[in-house]
Amino acid sequence: SRSNMNRQLMAKEETLGKNKAEVYMKRLGEMSTCRVECHTHFLTEDDADLFERADVIIDCVDNVDTRKLIAKLAKAKGKCFVHGAIEGEEGQVMLVTPDSKVFDKYYKSVDDTIRHSTYSYAVATVGSVQANLAVKTLTGKGGKFENKLVIIDLESVFVKTIEL
């Protein structure tokens, strides 16, 4: 939809009204020879088999309930997942390992009712940090990021990593 174009980096006028997963799959197919699967339904508990086929999970969703489900399914399948969230000009990234309890503790009492603007540059920045942690995890170098939260404040152009 037009209201999402500011944060959907592959969106164009001609893709308005189309399913974003299908638009992204088509565009990624044009850019790369990697294998891309498209799933156009909302994630449920029945989708655990999707996690089995993945080497690492990257959270690119916009609500806490789905993030919690991703954490649960990734843990059940013994997979690491790279969490990312954005609110306005602030973002956060966290590497969640199957045996980690920090995600559940961090999201125990998060309020998911506040809605603010999300800026495309915040999406791109958080996504880039998530991609970096995914690559580090796949290459065996992600361990030093376990139990840490990367806070990105683009209003003041400040990045901080805190131990959880």
Side-chain angles (χ1 to χ4, degrees), residues 90-93 106 149-153 158-162:
E90 295 180 7
Q92 64 186 35
V93 177
Y106 186 77
L149 180 69
V150 179
I151 305 289
I152 302 162
D153 180 348
F158 179 79
V159 177
K160 180 178 182 178
T161 302
I162 59 172

Side-chain angles (χ1 to χ4, degrees), residues 141-159:
K141 299 176 183 171
K144 67 182 182 177
F145 296 98
E146 289 180 37
N147 300 317
K148 295 184 180 170
L149 180 69
V150 179
I151 305 289
I152 302 162
D153 180 348
L154 293 170
E155 183 177 0
S156 61
V157 192
F158 179 79
V159 177

Side-chain angles (χ1 to χ4, degrees), residues 27-95:
R27 182 69 178 110
L28 289 171
E30 295 167 355
M31 294 169 37
S32 171
T33 60
C34 67
R35 186 177 67 99
V36 179
E37 288 182 25
C38 179
H39 302 275
T40 59
H41 65 278
F42 287 97
L43 186 70
T44 69
E45 298 256 355
D46 297 331
D47 293 315
D49 62 315
L50 295 175
F51 286 59
E52 238 168 67
R53 300 192 307 261
D55 295 315
V56 66
I57 314 301
I58 303 173
D59 156 13
C60 302
V61 299
D62 63 359
N63 68 78
V64 172
D65 289 340
T66 305
R67 286 188 180 104
K68 288 179 177 180
L69 179 56
I70 290 170
K72 179 181 178 179
L73 295 176
K75 183 177 209 152
K77 295 300 178 180
K79 305 290 181 168
C80 291
F81 96 92
V82 181
H83 158 64
I86 303 149
E87 182 70 41
E89 290 187 283
E90 295 180 7
Q92 64 186 35
V93 177
M94 177 190 322
L95 173 63

Side-chain angles (χ1 to χ4, degrees), residues 125-143:
T125 302
V126 169
S128 293
V129 174
Q130 285 182 279
N132 177 276
L133 283 183
V135 168
K136 287 189 181 326
T137 300
L138 290 168
T139 59
K141 299 176 183 171

Side-chain angles (χ1 to χ4, degrees), residues 1-6 13 16:
S1 68
R2 189 171 304 285
S3 65
N4 288 329
M5 287 185 75
N6 68 316
E13 289 289 326
L16 285 174

